[in-house]
Amino acid sequence: KKLITIKIDSSGNNVWENVYGTDSLGFYEGNKLKFVNNKLQVLGKYQPPANYNEFVTLKFDSAGNFIQSNEGQITGGIRTYYIDNLGNSYIGTWIEFKIVKINPLGNVLWTDTIPTNLPFNVSGDEVKAQAESNEKQQNNHFFRLPLDNS
C-alpha cells in the first residue's frame, strides 16, 4: 500500500529505489513521473479508507534521495494528471469538472471549475492545454484534446 519509485538502467538493473507511505489501510498510486531540473517528480494520489480524493507529490534527486513530499485534498474525483516543464502539476477531476494547479513545492495555486455538466468522457481533457499555456483560462474551455498518457 506504499508508493515505490524505482530507477532502472538501460540493461534492466535496479539503480535506486525509494518507498513512500505509511502502513495504513489506504493505498498510494503514482500516475505521472517527470524529470525537471535533474530531479524526479512524482504525481499521484493517496486513497485513505474514508476519502479517495487526496493528491501526493514527491521529489527525488538524480541519485534517488528523497527531497520532499506533499499531500492535499481535492474534491471531485481525480482522473487526469500532468506535469509541465517547470515542475507544476495539474490534476483534472471528473465529478466536479475542475482543473487544479499545484506548484513544484506541492501547494495548490488555483482551481478552475468548469461551469457546466459535461459528459464523463470529456472531463479533465484540457489539463495539458492549460498546462502548456501556463495560465488559468476563464470560461474558455476546449475538450478535443486526448488525455495525456505519456
Side-chain angles (χ1 to χ4, degrees):
K1 301 192 182 177
K2 297 180 181 184
L3 181 60
I4 301 172
T5 307
I6 302 171
K7 181 178 181 180
I8 300 171
D9 67 17
S10 59
S11 299
N13 300 309
N14 187 343
V15 177
W16 57 259
E17 174 177 315
N18 200 302
V19 179
Y20 177 83
T22 63
D23 289 320
S24 68
L25 296 176
F27 66 90
Y28 287 88
E29 178 181 296
N31 297 91
K32 288 290 174 189
L33 303 171
K34 186 167 191 168
F35 278 96
V36 178
N37 297 324
N38 209 25
K39 294 177 180 67
L40 178 65
Q41 289 191 214
V42 179
L43 173 62
K45 73 176 181 179
Y46 171 61
Q47 184 170 334
N51 182 351
Y52 62 91
N53 295 314
E54 293 191 15
F55 72 86
V56 60
T57 62
L58 306 176
K59 193 179 290 185
F60 303 94
D61 68 15
S62 59
N65 298 307
F66 179 78
I67 297 172
Q68 73 179 39
S69 68
N70 193 16
E71 295 183 31
Q73 194 168 18
I74 293 179
T75 60
I78 298 172
R79 175 173 176 197
T80 306
Y81 303 83
Y82 182 76
I83 301 172
D84 69 17
N85 292 330
L86 299 173
N88 297 301
S89 298
Y90 299 81
I91 296 175
T93 68
W94 61 274
I95 295 174
E96 296 180 7
F97 303 111
K98 293 190 288 192
I99 296 174
V100 179
K101 181 177 183 179
I102 303 161
N103 71 10
L105 298 175
N107 301 310
V108 173
L109 296 180
W110 53 255
T111 300
D112 187 8
T113 303
I114 300 165
T116 185
N117 290 327
L118 298 171
F120 175 81
N121 65 340
V122 296
S123 63
D125 292 356
E126 70 180 69
V127 171
K128 185 174 180 181
Q130 284 200 9
E132 289 177 348
S133 69
N134 202 27
E135 62 185 45
K136 180 179 174 185
Q137 298 177 13
Q138 291 288 338
N139 301 319
N140 185 17
H141 303 282
F142 301 95
F143 299 97
R144 296 189 180 166
L145 290 173
L147 293 174
D148 175 47
N149 293 319
S150 60

